[in-house]
Each structure stands twice: as C-alpha cells, then as structure tokens.
Amino acid sequence: MLFCIAGAFLFNVFLTPLIIHFCTRFGFYDSMNPRKMHNGKVSRLGGIGIMISSTAAFCIYVILFSSRDYSSLMPIFISGLIIFFAGAVDDFFNLPAKIKFLFQIIAAAVVAAGPLYFKEFFIFDVNEITGRLMTFVWIISLVNSYNLIDGLDLLCSGLSFLTQLTLGILLIFCSEESAVLCFIFAAATFAFMLFNRPPARIFLGDSGSQFLGYSIAVIPLIYDFASFEDVKAAVMAVLVSIPVIDVFAAIWRRTREHRSIFSADRAHIHHKLINIGFSKTTSVLILLMIQFVISVSVLSLLLMKTFTQRFTVLAMEMMFICLVFIILHFVNRTVNRRLHGHLSEEPQE
C-alpha cells in the first residue's frame, strides 16, 4: 500500500513540472477575464498529472497487491475518463456550459446504471430506482461543486486533499484495502498542491477540479464504511459541505435573479470573503481551516459507539457550516450596501 501511495506522490511531483513546461512552450494558459482572481499567465492542465499518477498507482496496486475483484469498477472507470476528457477539452477550447453539463449527465448515468449505486440511506434501505437516482444526482452535484469552488490558489485542491485524507483515515479502520484509493488520490493531490500554492504555477483546470469532485463522489459507492455505514450519507454530506452548499447557493442566487444557472458570477463563498476584506491567501486559509475542523469532527466518530452519538455530532457540524454561510451572506450584503448602494450579493465590476 505504501509503495503505491508514495508512487502516486512522486510520479505527480515529476509529472507536474513537465506539464507546466508543456503549457509554457505551447501557450496553454488559463484565460483572463474580470471574474478570474489571478494575474499573469498560469498553466491550467494540472488535472492531467493528478489523473495519470493516481490511476497508474491504483492500477499497480490492483495488479500486484490486491486480491479483490475490481471488475465492478469498470463503469466508474469509464465515467471518470468521460469526466476527465470532457474537462480537458474544455481547458483547451472553452466548451459552452451546457455541453459540459451534458457530458456530466452521461458520465453520471453510466455509473448509476452500473452495479455500484446507493442501496441504503442512513439505516433505511432504498429501492433500486431511488438508489440509482440518488447516485446520479450525487455525482453531478459533486463534480460541479468542486469545479465551481476552484476559484483561488490551493482552494479546490486543499479541500479535496483534506476530504480524501479524512476518508482514508476513516476507512483504514474498516480495512486497509478500502483506504488505499483515498490515500492514492490524496497523495497525487498533495503533489499538485506543491505547485498550486500561492502564487500558483499551475491550475487544476476543469479536467482537474471535476475529476477531484468525481473521485470523492465514487468513494462511498466503491467501499462499505463497515461500522460507520449507518451514517455514511451524513459523513459524506458533512465532508463536502463547503463546495456543495456553495453550488446550491449559486443555483438559488441565479434563479432568484432570473439568470441562467450556468451563468458566471463573483458571489461564491471565496469571493464573499475577499469582498468583505480578507486577502486571497487569508480567504483560502479560512476555508481550509473550516474544512480541517470538519475533518477532525468526522474522525471523532471513531471514538463513538452508537448511531445517535455519531448522527448528533454530524448534524451539529452541518448546522455550523450552514451558520457560517448565512453569516457570510449577510456580512457580504452589508458590505455591498455600503460600497455600492444596492442589495445584490455580487459586487459590481
């Protein structure tokens, strides 16, 4: 296991500088527009290194060290390729949002139609149609959530790393094999973070942010959480709460303002922190610290024996995250009233 985890890290440490050189050589940089938060020419194909290094490391693990039959993962593997390649095409050619969404629908449908889908919700069994529908919505939600939260250096990669690491630690108490994929993803992501820290030398791009969201989404489909299976839904909801609440807030905001849900704006949670007065780096640190608190609270479940105890902790954590979003919403609106004299959440360009 350690060999494959270290391999994922070292492979991406070696691969990412080559990707940066390739982007520099051929001029593949992230586009500049008023909504973007960076300056200068920055490569945007970091997702390639994460995908290749994590996939290679996991394949080596399956071939050399695992005794489990992973044939049921074929739909998940195919969907991961669809998500990644659609994102990569967008990184090169800036696909319309509706076309990207179509590819996400196809990828989510492939998984939902396969053998691995949600069969339980907390302590309740769900029928096949409901379970497949839940799987479909879950994948699309996370792919878009991590894509949209990728607005500042280290933000999406940092949130993903902490979530992957937390899932790995939690799952290692179920079985070593269950934790391997999480740690491989975490190792490949951490290698990328070395080059994504401010000022970033490379961005994830849509291929990277969507692939990270997808990689987190499929973990509860692939592995049972053993003694934590009864709160698996709550564990996952809490761990991904920052990007997911942010994307649902964006959908509500755009619908309320009679705009397309695919339209862009500068009213995501990281934009609000900056609008309030925090620097870009401080904004990232605040969100990563909140994610760290979330991770610690999830890992505290290892000390609890009953469903009631675990669910109570997770419910309190979710209420805390919702409270953070509500406070930031009203503070941001107050700032906009003072600075711009209007009620919109989005600062004027």
Side-chain angles (χ1 to χ4, degrees), residues 227-302:
S227 59
F228 305 100
E229 190 70 17
D230 55 355
V231 291
K232 179 167 71 174
V235 166
M236 294 305 305
V238 168
L239 282 175
V240 303
S241 56
I242 292 177
V244 168
I245 293 175
D246 186 61
V247 79
F248 279 104
I251 292 172
W252 167 251
R253 179 173 64 249
R254 294 164 189 175
T255 302
R256 185 190 63 210
E257 296 173 358
H258 306 291
R259 294 188 288 127
S260 168
I261 62 172
F262 299 107
S263 62
D265 59 30
R266 290 187 61 173
H268 292 286
I269 188 169
H270 48 283
H271 294 127
K272 290 178 180 178
L273 285 167
I274 292 171
N275 190 51
I276 289 169
F278 295 105
S279 69
K280 296 177 184 178
T281 301
T282 302
S283 298
V284 171
L285 291 176
I286 289 172
L287 293 174
L288 292 184
M289 284 301 299
I290 294 173
Q291 183 67 45
F292 179 78
V293 171
I294 292 172
S295 296
V296 172
S297 72
V298 168
L299 292 178
S300 71
L301 301 182
L302 295 169

Side-chain angles (χ1 to χ4, degrees), residues 84-318:
F84 172 77
F85 282 113
V89 171
D90 180 60
D91 288 334
F92 282 103
F93 301 109
N94 291 316
L95 294 175
K98 292 181 180 179
I99 299 298
K100 291 192 293 183
F101 190 59
L102 176 61
F103 280 109
Q104 294 168 9
I105 290 174
I106 294 171
V110 170
V111 176
L116 299 177
Y117 58 91
F118 289 117
K119 299 178 176 66
E120 296 178 348
F121 186 70
F122 292 106
I123 58 176
F124 305 103
D125 292 332
V126 296
N127 62 48
E128 182 176 338
I129 295 176
T130 302
R132 293 186 187 279
L133 181 60
M134 288 169 55
T135 302
F136 178 82
V137 174
W138 169 251
I139 291 174
I140 288 181
S141 298
L142 258 66
V143 167
N144 281 286
S145 297
Y146 281 87
N147 182 220
L148 292 178
I149 203 71
D150 186 28
L152 292 175
D153 299 344
L154 212 63
L155 180 53
C156 181
S157 56
L159 293 174
S160 301
F161 169 75
L162 289 172
T163 299
Q164 293 158 343
L165 186 64
T166 304
L167 285 171
I169 296 172
L170 193 65
L171 284 170
I172 204 169
F173 287 90
C174 304
S175 74
E176 179 180 298
E177 184 153 343
S178 298
V180 170
L181 183 56
C182 297
F183 286 137
I184 285 175
F185 279 134
T189 304
F190 186 69
F192 168 80
M193 290 169 62
L194 300 178
F195 304 91
N196 187 232
R197 65 184 188 274
R201 297 173 57 193
I202 189 170
F203 295 151
L204 284 167
D206 273 19
S207 60
S209 58
Q210 292 187 67
F211 183 75
L212 286 178
Y214 179 80
S215 70
I216 293 169
V218 299
I219 293 299
L221 302 176
I222 298 172
Y223 299 116
D224 291 331
F225 282 35
S227 59
F228 305 100
E229 190 70 17
D230 55 355
V231 291
K232 179 167 71 174
V235 166
M236 294 305 305
V238 168
L239 282 175
V240 303
S241 56
I242 292 177
V244 168
I245 293 175
D246 186 61
V247 79
F248 279 104
I251 292 172
W252 167 251
R253 179 173 64 249
R254 294 164 189 175
T255 302
R256 185 190 63 210
E257 296 173 358
H258 306 291
R259 294 188 288 127
S260 168
I261 62 172
F262 299 107
S263 62
D265 59 30
R266 290 187 61 173
H268 292 286
I269 188 169
H270 48 283
H271 294 127
K272 290 178 180 178
L273 285 167
I274 292 171
N275 190 51
I276 289 169
F278 295 105
S279 69
K280 296 177 184 178
T281 301
T282 302
S283 298
V284 171
L285 291 176
I286 289 172
L287 293 174
L288 292 184
M289 284 301 299
I290 294 173
Q291 183 67 45
F292 179 78
V293 171
I294 292 172
S295 296
V296 172
S297 72
V298 168
L299 292 178
S300 71
L301 301 182
L302 295 169
L303 304 176
M304 300 174 189
K305 303 299 182 182
T306 68
F307 170 82
T308 301
Q309 291 174 327
R310 293 167 177 167
F311 184 79
T312 300
V313 169
L314 293 168
M316 291 177 62
E317 191 65 29
M318 183 60 76

